[in-house]
Amino acid sequence: MALRHAVLAALLDEELSGYQLAKAFDLGVANFWHAQPQQLYVELTRLEKEGLITGREVVQDNRPNKRLFRVTDTGLAELERFTAAAPKPSFIRDDLVVMVQAADHVDTDELVRQLTERAVFARAKIDLFDRLLHAMRGERSEAEFLRTGTRVGPYLTCLRGLAFERGNLDWCERTVAVLRERRTAH
């Protein structure tokens, strides 16, 4: 997947400025694609030149003007092509996993600290996902929302992010417990 597809997907529901897009990435798209704000601005320029999005200038009083972007029919066709292609398999590329791989040969106190820190981050993300999911479905049950909601895609990707962070939390907690138990036993 290229950044272009993540940006196009993020612009499907509404016009967004570059700043709003960066915030949308922080809250939702970052579950499956990370990008720096500078990368997003470069990609918006590229997508507009290619006709996949269109931008319009919004004049603001007492503030700098801003540009709002939306997906064009050509951009939607690009997303259609992208979703029809076979996806590449995903893989884990995580420094912390490499650090734990070396656990038998290093002082594990630092590993325990890093794992505990990651667990705190995972708990915060789990809380954020729970709030986002509730905001999307409102007072409906999840089953009802999934059956009748108007935009199920962002909800489903948020569920994936939630499952990912729950997996991270479980792994961190288990790994800390194992490392502490081994340290006590030796």
Side-chain angles (χ1 to χ4, degrees):
M1 172 172 71
L3 177 58
R4 69 190 303 107
H5 300 112
V7 170
L8 289 169
L11 291 173
L12 285 173
D13 290 328
E14 61 183 325
E15 286 184 311
L16 296 174
S17 67
Y19 176 79
Q20 291 168 317
L21 180 65
K23 290 296 176 199
F25 259 68
D26 282 347
L27 289 176
V29 180
N31 302 326
F32 53 89
W33 192 268
H34 177 75
Q36 298 293 328
Q38 310 88 289
Q39 292 173 288
L40 295 174
Y41 286 106
V42 169
E43 194 62 36
L44 286 169
T45 300
R46 186 177 298 129
L47 290 169
E48 189 171 24
K49 284 181 184 174
E50 294 177 23
L52 301 176
I53 63 172
T54 186
R56 68 180 177 92
E57 189 87 8
V58 176
V59 178
Q60 303 185 106
D61 293 331
N62 300 323
R63 293 166 65 185
N65 295 343
K66 67 179 177 180
R67 288 186 57 74
L68 295 178
F69 299 93
R70 67 176 175 78
V71 176
T72 64
D73 290 341
T74 305
L76 193 54
E78 171 60 20
L79 275 174
E80 189 73 37
R81 184 203 60 73
F82 173 71
T83 59
K88 296 176 186 174
S90 59
F91 58 90
I92 297 173
R93 185 175 177 172
D94 186 336
D95 291 346
L96 188 55
V97 175
V98 175
M99 292 174 188
V100 171
Q101 174 75 21
D104 299 311
H105 304 281
V106 299
D107 179 8
T108 58
D109 288 343
E110 182 59 23
L111 287 177
V112 167
R113 189 189 70 72
Q114 296 277 2
L115 288 156
T116 302
E117 189 176 296
R118 176 73 62 87
V120 168
F121 178 80
R123 279 188 202 94
K125 288 287 283 193
I126 289 167
D127 183 55
L128 173 64
F129 288 133
D130 283 338
R131 289 192 317 268
L132 288 171
L133 289 165
H134 184 266
M136 283 187 250
R137 73 175 176 268
E139 296 307 313
R140 294 178 279 185
S141 70
E142 184 168 275
E144 180 184 351
F145 177 80
L146 291 173
R147 195 173 45 258
T148 64
T150 55
R151 282 282 287 133
V152 73
Y155 194 90
L156 292 170
T157 58
C158 198
L159 283 177
R160 177 64 181 109
L162 179 61
F164 178 78
E165 290 303 339
R166 284 181 176 158
N168 279 337
L169 178 60
D170 291 345
W171 179 76
C172 288
E173 289 176 341
R174 182 172 186 197
T175 303
V176 165
V178 167
L179 293 175
R180 285 181 173 156
E181 183 180 325
R182 290 176 59 85
R183 184 175 51 213
T184 303
H186 293 101

